Amino acid sequence: MASLSYSTILDNLQELKRQIIVSTLSKYNSYPKTKLKYLTKFIQATVYPYNKEIWKTKTTEHEIAIVTAGKTFIYGYGEKQNHPCFSKPCILFDDFTTDCKYIDIPFYFPSSAGKIILNNKNTDIKWLYYTILSLRGTVETKDHGRHWIEVYSNIEVPNIPLHEQQIISKYLDEKIKYLDEKIKYTLSLKESLEKLKYSLISEKIKTCANKFIPSKRFFSTKRGLVLSVDKISNLQTDIYKYPVYSSQTTNDGLVGFYNSYLFEKSITWTTDGAKAGTFVYRDKKYFATNVCGTLTPISKNIDSKFYCYCFMANSHEQKIDGAMMPRMMGEDVQKILLPLVDITTQNKIAVWLDKKISWLDSKIKLLGGKNE
C-alpha cells in the first residue's frame, strides 16, 4: 500500500478539522436565525498600519506580529510605533480571498483588503470564528469584491444564547486541538527544511569569495511586457510553446504559453507580496509579463544559475523591505552584493548546489498543501 505524501496528510487534516466544525455547528440549525452583521462589528485594517522594517523572526526589539488574513498569516515582526497595535482577541478577514484567522496576540495589520471582525457583547468571539470558518466553500464569491460587507455580514446563522456559544467554543477548542498540533507539526517540518536549504546556500557562497560588489555590475534589471489573458494559451502547442511567467509564486510562476519569447538563461523574481524576493533561474526561452522582474547577465563570464543561488541567499535574510506589503523593486535588487568569482568556480558551485538543493526541494514539495 502506497504511503501518503505530507501534502495529502496536511490537506486531509485541514478537511477533517472543517468537517468537525460544520458537523458540530449543524446541530444548532433549529435555532432562530439572525444575520452576522447583527452579531459583529468591524474595523478596517488600515487603522492599524505598519510603516517600518519587518523582520522574519521575533526579537526583543521586533516583537509585535505583522499579520495578514491570508495564507501567510504572520509574515514578520515589527517594533512598536507611535500609534497603538491591536491587542484584543478578534478575527482577521481577507476581503479578497475570504480567508479568516483567529488571533489573540498584539499585532499590526498592514492590509488594504483586510477587516478586523469583533464580537458584540452577546456573542462569543471564538464561536463567531468557528461559524465564519464553517461557511468557507459554501458561499458564492466574486473577484475582488467587498465580501464581508456585501456577502458574509448578510448571511443568516443560528442565534444561539451566549452561554451555549461558549460551550460550543470550548468543545471545538478541545476537539480540534490535536488536529491543530498535527497541522502545526507538519508545517514546522517544511519550515525546518527551508531553513536548512537557505543556510546551505548561504554558507557555500560565503566560502567562495572575499570581494562582493553590487549586482548591477553583473545583471541588467528589466521587466517583461503587458500581455492580455486572451493571448495566452493554457496548453503548450507547437505554436504556443514558450512559457509565460508572472510575479506569482504558485505553479512556479507559470500562467500559460505564448508564441514568442523575451528571455532565456536568466533569472526572474517576485516583486510584491508576502513572497517578494523569490528568485528563480529560467534555463529555457520564456516570456515574462510586466509584473515580473528579470535579471539578464551582461557578459558570458556570468553563470546565472550560480548567481540565482546568491540572490536566494540574500533575500532570505532577516529584514523584509516594505511595510504595507513586502516589496523588492529593481533598485533594491541592483544594490544586492554578489561575490566576485571566476566562471569556473561559479559553474562548480552551481552544480554542487543543484544536487543538494534539488533533494531538499523534493522533500519541501512533499510537505506543501494543495495550494502550494
Side-chain angles (χ1 to χ4, degrees), residues 41 85-91 102-107 116 118:
K41 50 188 175 181
C85 58
F86 196 85
S87 56
K88 295 180 181 179
C90 64
I91 300 162
Y102 173 79
I103 185 167
D104 58 2
I105 59 174
F107 66 87
I116 299 170
L118 300 169

Side-chain angles (χ1 to χ4, degrees), residues 190-254:
K190 181 181 178 182
E191 184 179 342
S192 296
L193 283 176
E194 287 178 335
K195 286 182 178 179
L196 176 60
K197 169 184 172 178
Y198 289 103
S199 175
L200 184 66
I201 295 171
S202 182
E203 291 303 314
K204 188 66 176 178
I205 290 169
K206 286 178 181 177
T207 62
C208 74
N210 294 319
K211 186 176 182 180
F212 291 78
I213 59 177
S215 70
K216 64 182 180 181
R217 299 273 297 276
F218 297 91
F219 293 90
S220 61
T221 307
K222 300 179 182 178
R223 285 191 181 233
L225 300 176
V226 176
L227 185 64
S228 59
V229 176
D230 61 317
K231 293 183 178 180
I232 301 174
S233 171
N234 292 326
L235 299 176
Q236 190 171 28
T237 67
D238 290 340
I239 297 176
Y240 292 88
K241 58 184 177 180
Y242 302 109
V244 178
Y245 295 111
S246 73
S247 194
Q248 70 181 29
T249 54
T250 55
N251 197 30
D252 195 35
L254 181 68

Side-chain angles (χ1 to χ4, degrees), residues 75-187:
Y75 63 75
Y77 294 87
E79 58 187 284
K80 291 182 179 180
Q81 301 198 117
N82 293 331
H83 59 274
C85 58
F86 196 85
S87 56
K88 295 180 181 179
C90 64
I91 300 162
L92 308 181
F93 186 89
D94 189 312
D95 247 346
F96 286 169
T97 66
T98 72
D99 280 343
C100 67
K101 299 286 190 298
Y102 173 79
I103 185 167
D104 58 2
I105 59 174
F107 66 87
Y108 289 112
F109 194 9
S111 170
S112 59
K115 287 183 171 56
I116 299 170
I117 310 299
L118 300 169
N119 55 316
N120 63 26
K121 63 180 181 180
N122 294 316
T123 308
D124 179 71
I125 186 65
K126 206 65 181 291
W127 172 84
L128 191 60
Y129 165 69
Y130 286 131
T131 298
I132 296 172
L133 200 62
S134 71
L135 298 173
R136 289 294 309 278
T138 66
V139 180
E140 185 176 348
T141 59
K142 49 189 175 182
D143 291 340
H144 301 296
R146 296 195 303 167
H147 286 113
W148 179 257
I149 294 175
E150 297 176 359
V151 183
Y152 272 72
S153 67
N154 291 306
I155 295 175
E156 292 189 335
V157 298
N159 191 11
I160 303 170
L162 178 59
H163 72 278
E164 290 197 50
Q165 294 178 25
Q166 293 168 339
I167 291 172
I168 295 169
S169 296
K170 186 176 180 180
Y171 171 80
L172 285 174
D173 281 348
E174 290 297 322
K175 196 75 175 175
I176 66 175
K177 181 179 179 181
Y178 173 79
L179 291 175
D180 280 339
E181 288 175 351
K182 291 298 181 183
I183 291 169
K184 185 177 180 179
Y185 172 72
T186 304
L187 293 173

Side-chain angles (χ1 to χ4, degrees), residues 28 37 53 72 94 110 145 182 224 245 268 273 291 372:
Y28 298 85
K37 63 183 175 183
E53 292 176 347
T72 306
D94 189 312
K182 291 298 181 183
Y245 295 111
T268 63
V291 293
E372 288 295 302

Side-chain angles (χ1 to χ4, degrees), residues 21 67 184 192 238 256 265 281 287 301-302 307 332 359 369:
I21 294 170
V67 302
K184 185 177 180 179
S192 296
D238 290 340
K265 295 186 183 300
Y281 171 69
F287 190 101
N301 292 321
I302 296 172
Y307 282 109
D332 301 316
W359 183 87

Side-chain angles (χ1 to χ4, degrees), residues 277-338:
T278 298
F279 290 85
V280 181
Y281 171 69
R282 310 290 185 188
D283 183 50
K284 299 179 180 179
K285 297 174 181 178
Y286 67 93
F287 190 101
T289 68
N290 62 307
V291 293
C292 183
T294 67
L295 290 158
T296 303
I298 61 177
S299 87
K300 294 182 179 179
N301 292 321
I302 296 172
D303 185 331
S304 292
K305 181 174 280 191
F306 165 76
Y307 282 109
C308 184
Y309 282 125
C310 297
F311 282 117
M312 288 166 64
N314 181 280
S315 67
H316 204 69
E317 291 179 353
Q318 290 278 18
K319 188 172 68 173
I320 304 172
D321 287 329
M324 290 304 290
M325 185 58 72
R327 306 180 70 195
M328 184 172 282
M329 299 292 99
E331 55 267 30
D332 301 316
V333 174
Q334 289 176 343
K335 295 175 185 177
I336 292 175
L337 298 178
L338 299 179

